[in-house]
Amino acid sequence: MRPTLLGVLRTAYVVVAALLTATLLPRLGVPPAWVPDLVLVGVVATAVLRGPVHGALAGLLAGWVVELVPPVGSPLGLMAMVTMLAGLVAGLFRRSSSRSWLRAPAALLCAAVVVLAGRVGSAVLAEGGVETAVDATRLVSTMLFGVMLLPALLVVDRALVRRRLG
């Protein structure tokens, strides 16, 4: 089975987003609390267009990529499982008949809440405490970047599928 161009582009997006989030944005002076989860935006774009199964698979693979890019702040495998669950939840927003512009941001919000719950649970188990201000600002920054980036990802994805490249 040959990989499709769309699959290669999605993989490239996840790798570049993980590297940007872990290396470039902190070097540019972005406070850690305001670094958005760009990988989650790509997972949500895949999930909204392809459904819960593809969303869960994309989330699992993206979570593994995030865990391979240092610094790793959670037990190995936890981020992959949390991102898989977030992709599954976002995939539940797939509707082939509806083209509502609210569907993708709502899916992103639900997926971001799932990831936030996973991070809070991990912090409580590992450290015994939670910094709610940091988690809330990260959720807000992910939503802001997602609202700007998600429509472009969906348009590119739909155009490539229309050209039968996916």
Side-chain angles (χ1 to χ4, degrees):
M1 188 164 109
R2 281 185 20 210
T4 62
L5 177 62
L6 188 57
V8 170
L9 289 176
R10 283 182 180 147
T11 303
Y13 172 80
V14 166
V15 170
V16 168
L19 289 173
L20 275 174
T21 302
T23 59
L24 187 62
L25 291 178
R27 258 196 199 276
L28 292 175
V30 178
W34 285 100
V35 173
D37 193 349
L38 297 175
V39 174
L40 184 64
V41 176
V43 170
V44 169
T46 300
V48 166
L49 291 175
R50 298 289 182 135
V53 174
H54 280 83
L57 184 59
L60 181 67
L61 296 173
W64 282 335
V65 168
V66 168
E67 287 183 341
L68 291 176
V69 175
V72 178
S74 62
L76 193 60
L78 180 66
M79 194 63 199
M81 297 303 282
V82 168
T83 313
M84 179 185 75
L85 185 60
L88 178 77
V89 167
L92 296 175
F93 284 83
R94 177 182 184 217
R95 299 281 182 264
S96 58
S97 61
S98 171
R99 288 241 171 176
S100 172
W101 61 274
L102 287 175
R103 194 168 34 98
L108 179 62
L109 179 62
C110 290
V113 167
V114 167
V115 171
L116 177 66
R119 285 194 179 122
V120 167
S122 173
V124 166
L125 291 175
E127 302 160 10
V130 179
E131 294 181 28
T132 54
V134 171
D135 293 330
T137 55
R138 184 145 187 177
L139 177 70
V140 168
S141 68
T142 299
M143 286 303 299
L144 289 175
F145 273 88
V147 166
M148 292 185 292
L149 192 58
L150 202 53
L153 288 174
L154 294 175
V155 166
V156 168
D157 201 320
R158 283 188 184 121
L160 288 173
V161 167
R162 235 179 283 126
R163 291 181 181 212
R164 302 207 183 261
L165 298 175

